[in-house]
């Protein structure tokens, strides 16, 4: 079993559903963000729920599933485009067991379950990442890319390198669950 990852109890707010959100993270428009439970939002992460469609009604801008890990310094903002002269943001949906590495910028439309995005990645607007895909560290995914299930993408611009093993789902699930269980408050 790996060693615990300790965090300062004062820095993180823990919700009823087990989400752990750093007080040093910027959660803009929290009423438009859904966290599925047991999700960790690290220090310096910026989640822009305030960027939402214009017009009436409540809009879910960003939804994250269970056991997601948003690394330090990540920026997550909904994708946007101008359509018929109207500028609009579109929702971002992220599945369960998704690990986003430090300092990555994500403007994807959809990220499936059991997805790993490395450190220092740029995920372009309206990208769709299917289940069990892996984006390697320092990869730039151009806007509107579709990354197939069980695919490894590397480079700038990111391109397909190889298929991942069928066991990817179990591996990613156990890694994210282990990280969450190791992420423990440091009692002072």
């Amino acid at each position: 079993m790996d060693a615990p990852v300790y965090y300062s109890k004062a820095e993180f707010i823990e919700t009823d559903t087990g989400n752990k959100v750093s007080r040093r993270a910027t959660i803009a428009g929290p009423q438009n963000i859904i966290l599925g439970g047991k999700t960790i939002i690290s220090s310096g992460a910026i989640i822009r729920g305030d960027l939402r469609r214009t017009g009436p009604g409540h809009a879910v801008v960003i939804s994250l599933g269970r056991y997601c890990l948003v690394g330090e310094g990540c920026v997550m903002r909904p994708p946007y485009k101008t359509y018929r002269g109207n500028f609009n943001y579109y929702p971002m949906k992220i599945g369960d067991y998704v690990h986003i590495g430090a300092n990555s910028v994500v403007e994807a439309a959809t990220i499936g379950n059991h997805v790993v995005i490395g450190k220092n990645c740029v995920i372009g607007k309206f990208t769709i990442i299917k289940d069990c895909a892996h984006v390697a560290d320092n990869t730039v995914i151009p806007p509107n890319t579709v990354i197939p299930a069980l695919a490894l993408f590397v480079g700038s611009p990111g391109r397909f390198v190889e298929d991942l093993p069928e066991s990817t789902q179990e591996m990613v699930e156990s890694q994210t669950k282990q990280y969450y269980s190791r992420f423990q408050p440091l009692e002072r």
Side-chain angles (χ1 to χ4, degrees), residues 5-184:
V5 177
Y6 289 112
Y7 65 89
S8 156
K9 214 173 156 78
E11 188 195 327
F12 279 80
I13 301 162
E14 186 164 354
T15 68
D16 298 345
T17 53
N19 296 313
K20 296 179 181 183
V21 180
S22 170
R23 292 180 193 276
R24 295 198 189 112
T26 303
I27 311 291
Q31 69 278 9
N32 302 323
I33 298 170
I34 294 175
L35 300 178
K38 295 189 164 52
T39 284
I40 298 170
I41 310 290
S42 303
S43 171
I46 299 172
I47 301 183
R48 296 293 306 269
D50 58 333
L51 304 176
R52 64 186 199 100
R53 291 188 95 127
T54 48
H58 179 72
V60 171
V61 174
I62 297 177
S63 68
L64 288 123
R66 296 187 344 263
Y67 289 102
C68 290
L69 173 63
V70 178
E72 297 195 357
C74 278
V75 177
M76 300 179 72
R77 56 181 177 246
Y80 60 86
K81 66 181 172 192
T82 303
Y83 177 70
R84 292 191 177 159
N86 291 326
F87 176 87
N88 249 325
Y89 288 99
Y90 292 80
M92 177 190 295
K93 184 171 187 343
I94 296 171
D96 299 333
Y97 309 104
V98 174
H99 186 139
I100 300 171
N103 302 312
S104 288
V105 176
V106 179
E107 291 186 275
T110 312
I111 297 176
N113 302 316
H114 307 95
V115 170
V116 176
I117 295 172
K119 300 193 221 11
N120 305 314
C121 292
V122 175
I123 308 298
K125 294 189 303 221
F126 297 103
T127 295
I128 295 171
I129 302 177
K130 305 278 189 175
D131 293 353
C132 304
H134 186 133
V135 177
D137 291 355
N138 308 310
T139 297
V140 176
I141 302 295
N144 306 306
T145 302
V146 176
I147 296 182
L150 291 165
L152 172 62
F153 268 58
V154 177
S156 176
R159 53 192 159 276
F160 175 79
V161 178
E162 64 181 7
D163 287 312
L164 297 170
E166 290 294 324
S167 60
T168 298
Q169 177 173 339
E170 290 81 35
M171 288 185 331
V172 172
E173 188 164 324
S174 90
Q175 285 164 353
T176 49
K177 281 183 167 170
Q178 275 176 4
Y179 188 91
Y180 182 85
S181 64
R182 290 187 350 240
F183 197 73
Q184 295 297 325

